[in-house]
Each structure stands twice: as C-alpha cells, then as structure tokens.
Amino acid sequence: MRAVQDSMDVLSGKWKIAIISSICYYNKRRFSDILDDIDGISNKMLSKELKELELNKLVKRTVLDSQPVTVQYELTEHGKTLQTIINNLTEWGIKHRKEILGK
Amino acid sequence: MRAVQDSMDVLSGKWKIAIISSICYYNKRRFSDILDDIDGISNKMLSKELKELELNKLVKRTVLDSQPVTVQYELTEHGKTLQTIINNLTEWGIKHRKEILGK
C-alpha cells in the first residue's frame, strides 16, 4: 500500500509526467526548451518541479559552460525506469476512455 | 499525454487505490468490511469514493436482500485490468524507496 502511494506521490501533480515525457523524448533537454514544450507552465513552477525531480533522483541537471549559460536536464537510469510505468498508464488511460465512452 | 492524465485522475486521491485493493483481495466485499479494512476513512467518504468508482465502471454495486440489507461491491472486468497497473506502481515504489534511501 505504502509503495503504491510512493509512486503516486512522485507522479502526481499537474506537471511531473509532462516534464519527464519532454526530457525522455529528446533524451537531453534544455530548461528553455522544456518550458516551450509544456503549455501553460511558468518559469518558476518548472524550476520548482525540476528541483523535486532532482531530489527524487529522477533527473540529472548539468550546467553547460556556454554563452549564455544553459542548463540541461536528462533522465537518470532510475528516471528511465519510470518510462514503463508511464507507458502502462497511457495504455490503460486509452482503454478507460473507450470503456467510459462506450467505444 | 491526456491518456496518462486520465489514468492518474482515476487513481489519485487518498483512498481510491486502497478501496480497489480491498475489494480485489477479497473478490467480493461488503461496504462495512471495506470500511473496516481502511484505516481512517469515514462512512461518508467511502460512500463518495465508491460512487465515483462505480461511475467510472470500475466497481459493481449489488444490494443483497438480507436482513439487515447489505451492499456488496466487486470489481468489474474493466476494474480488474487496473490490477496490473497497481502491481507495477507497487514494484516501482519499492525500487524508488531503495534508490532514495541508498539501498
């Protein structure tokens, strides 16, 4: 029971899954690009969410020595294991929608 | 993206997964027994959550002609497909806890 809740805590909230999907799709992704990928998220909120994902060891943050300085994110090995979960949730969500709308 | 969110909406909240797990474990489960299974849930809240699960076609409600009248719940075929998802989330939650606590 507690384990399920741990997973749900990591994934819940309005933005987490969108952020993970954006980084995962592009492999490596800059802060400003993630900001562009996700409709409606603010600079501040993205920053906060990424910090949480970093604390949860799901994403790795790298500061690139470019001009201007850019910050890049990628999934950790642990973060990549989330992909199966997200895929399963996607498949089930599609089935569920069909079931509710009567196919 | 929307599909993932659909799944998360169905499963999120404090009680949904606990209720589904209780019914699933016992196959058929009476309202009063589910109430006993889940620490801290109120009569009113359980009633509300079960109604939502019924609307989502995940549980089936049967009124038994006993004395006193009892209400029994079971998972629908669609509800049973959730079990894989819950198992996956459980496994990942265990892995995640190990990762965070450093094994």
Side-chain angles (χ1 to χ4, degrees):
Chain A
M1 245 348 279
R2 204 186 51 181
V4 189
Q5 218 47 62
D6 286 347
S7 305
M8 291 297 288
D9 288 348
V10 171
L11 293 174
S12 63
K14 206 172 162 195
W15 308 107
K16 293 278 180 5
I17 292 177
I19 295 169
I20 293 168
S21 301
S22 158
I23 300 173
C24 183
Y25 185 77
Y26 293 99
N27 200 18
K28 292 179 184 193
R29 199 76 177 142
R30 286 178 307 176
F31 185 91
S32 54
D33 292 329
I34 305 174
L35 201 61
D36 279 346
D37 287 341
I38 303 173
D39 258 358
I41 196 166
S42 69
N43 201 303
K44 199 175 152 189
M45 178 58 82
L46 179 56
S47 188
K48 179 183 155 287
E49 296 282 81
L50 281 167
K51 219 165 271 171
E52 280 182 38
L53 290 172
E54 216 188 326
L55 278 174
N56 273 310
K57 297 187 182 175
L58 296 166
V59 304
K60 185 172 167 276
R61 180 175 179 274
T62 314
V63 179
L64 299 178
D65 186 17
S66 57
Q67 228 167 359
V69 167
T70 52
V71 185
Q72 196 177 59
Y73 292 87
E74 59 194 298
L75 294 186
T76 60
E77 284 310 308
H78 178 50
K80 283 176 191 159
T81 64
L82 259 184
Q83 201 49 42
T84 315
I85 301 282
I86 294 179
N87 290 344
N88 291 338
L89 286 168
T90 307
E91 278 167 35
W92 193 84
I94 292 168
K95 262 199 292 183
H96 181 59
R97 185 169 283 261
K98 277 189 193 152
E99 184 77 25
I100 293 299
L101 300 180
K103 270 110 206 177
Chain B
M1 243 352 275
R2 203 186 49 181
V4 190
Q5 219 45 65
D6 285 347
S7 305
M8 291 297 288
D9 288 347
V10 170
L11 293 175
S12 64
K14 208 173 162 195
W15 309 108
K16 291 278 180 3
I17 292 177
I19 296 169
I20 292 168
S21 301
S22 158
I23 300 172
C24 183
Y25 186 76
Y26 293 98
N27 201 18
K28 290 179 184 192
R29 199 75 176 142
R30 287 178 305 176
F31 185 91
S32 53
D33 292 329
I34 306 174
L35 202 59
D36 279 346
D37 287 341
I38 303 172
D39 259 359
I41 196 167
S42 68
N43 201 303
K44 199 174 153 189
M45 180 57 83
L46 179 56
S47 187
K48 180 182 153 289
E49 295 283 82
L50 281 167
K51 219 166 271 171
E52 280 182 38
L53 290 172
E54 217 189 325
L55 277 174
N56 273 310
K57 296 188 183 173
L58 296 167
V59 303
K60 185 170 165 276
R61 180 176 180 273
T62 314
V63 178
L64 300 178
D65 186 15
S66 57
Q67 227 166 359
V69 167
T70 52
V71 185
Q72 196 176 61
Y73 292 88
E74 60 195 298
L75 295 186
T76 61
E77 283 311 307
H78 178 50
K80 284 176 192 161
T81 64
L82 260 183
Q83 200 50 42
T84 315
I85 303 281
I86 294 179
N87 290 345
N88 291 338
L89 285 169
T90 307
E91 277 167 34
W92 193 85
I94 292 169
K95 259 197 294 183
H96 181 57
R97 185 168 282 259
K98 277 189 193 153
E99 186 77 25
I100 294 299
L101 301 179
K103 271 111 206 176

